[in-house]
Amino acid sequence: MKNKISFMTVAATLLCFAQSAPAITLDGAFGLDEWAGNYSADDGVGSGGFVGPGYGGQAFDVEYLGLRIKNGTVYFGLQTGFNLADGVRQGGIDYKPGDFAIDTNNDGTYDYAIDFAISSGNPSYSLYSVSAWQNSMYAQHHVADPFQYKTGTLIPTAFSGDYGSGVFASNMNGGTSYVLEGSFGLNALAAYSGGPVTLHWTMSCGNDYLNVTTTPTSVPEPSSLLLLGSGLTGAALWSWRRRKA
Ligand SMILES: [Ca+2]
Ligand SMILES: [Ca+2]
Ligand SMILES: [Ca+2]
């Protein structure tokens, strides 16, 4: 009986692993279910258009920033009221969307940038190892607020991803939101040697920004699950035979 209980426990544990968080779909829509447990939220526009730390209303509101690293793949996602394709022109000034900034050793200095361009509704991403950043205009209001990389080295990397815009139920202010989602291989971040990873995003003025920190996870591959499963079946069979004898 003892054997049977431990077998059931292991089998149940394996089932839990197999049914962990839903997969992220790179479709240009930031689903709070797919990013559950792997995003920061700062949706909301206060009085006078306050989006914290600056102002500007929905057009400058950063709503959700997601980062998940699973089985050697880095997934990143952003939803914002800031127009990621065209930027925002206000008071005769052109404000631009920033690069995604990645800190791989948790020291507060960002080591990599994901630059992007959006053409005909499709994003293209470029990864850079960064030696110097350009801070946002109002970076003096808060600590370490890189807007885009100033000098860096291009790291040839294959990306997947999608871009979308629309009125989403997850945006509490109404109005249009813009979404980028993407993924690439963790091995492109050569400086990474384990531990938590932080993602940061803002626009050129830095009126709003978000950071999200995640620790990579790995779940058993279907093939190794199958191997483990057949091993468990063998063990159960063996103990059953032994009891019978
Ligand atoms: Ca999605
Ligand atoms: Ca909003
Ligand atoms: Ca760093």
Side-chain angles (χ1 to χ4, degrees):
M1 194 62 191
K2 199 180 172 199
N3 274 332
K4 198 173 178 184
I5 288 171
S6 63
F7 171 76
M8 294 294 277
T9 309
V10 174
T13 309
L14 278 173
L15 211 66
C16 286
F17 264 114
Q19 294 181 338
S20 61
I24 289 166
T25 308
L26 304 174
D27 57 357
F30 194 104
L32 299 186
D33 50 349
E34 64 181 334
W35 288 99
N38 299 286
Y39 70 85
S40 291
D42 184 34
D43 185 27
V45 178
S47 73
F50 184 70
V51 289
Y55 291 82
Q58 172 63 14
F60 290 85
D61 189 26
V62 184
E63 296 165 350
Y64 302 99
L65 185 67
L67 177 66
R68 186 170 192 207
I69 304 174
K70 185 184 157 191
N71 293 344
T73 300
V74 181
Y75 300 88
F76 57 95
L78 166 70
Q79 180 177 315
T80 173
F82 191 87
N83 190 321
L84 295 168
D86 303 328
V88 176
R89 186 171 177 82
Q90 202 173 81
I93 299 172
D94 286 317
Y95 298 99
K96 296 174 187 169
D99 302 331
F100 292 90
I102 303 171
D103 180 5
T104 52
N105 61 346
N106 209 27
D107 66 350
T109 301
Y110 292 88
D111 311 290
Y112 295 92
I114 303 168
D115 195 3
F116 66 86
I118 298 166
S119 172
S120 306
N122 295 309
S124 56
Y125 296 109
S126 307
L127 181 69
Y128 290 86
S129 172
V130 178
S131 47
W133 290 92
Q134 180 184 342
N135 279 336
S136 62
M137 287 178 187
Y138 302 116
Q140 68 270 23
H141 294 319
H142 42 91
V143 182
D145 190 18
F147 143 62
Q148 64 182 4
Y149 82 94
K150 194 155 66 181
T151 55
T153 308
L154 178 69
I155 302 169
T157 309
F159 280 89
S160 297
D162 204 356
Y163 163 77
S165 65
V167 177
F168 300 107
S170 63
N171 171 27
M172 65 172 73
N173 310 111
T176 303
S177 299
Y178 304 82
V179 173
L180 276 172
E181 291 183 316
S183 73
F184 64 98
L186 177 60
N187 56 7
L189 307 178
Y192 179 66
S193 60
V197 176
T198 295
L199 182 71
H200 165 90
W201 188 85
T202 189
M203 70 292 290
S204 58
C205 54
N207 280 27
D208 197 6
Y209 71 100
L210 268 176
N211 289 358
V212 59
T213 300
T214 195
T215 300
T217 59
S218 60
V219 300
E221 297 292 320
S223 57
S224 62
L225 268 179
L226 210 69
L227 268 173
L228 245 156
S230 60
L232 283 171
T233 311
L237 207 67
W238 178 78
S239 72
W240 174 75
R241 273 183 159 168
R242 205 173 58 141
R243 272 205 310 277
K244 218 180 164 196

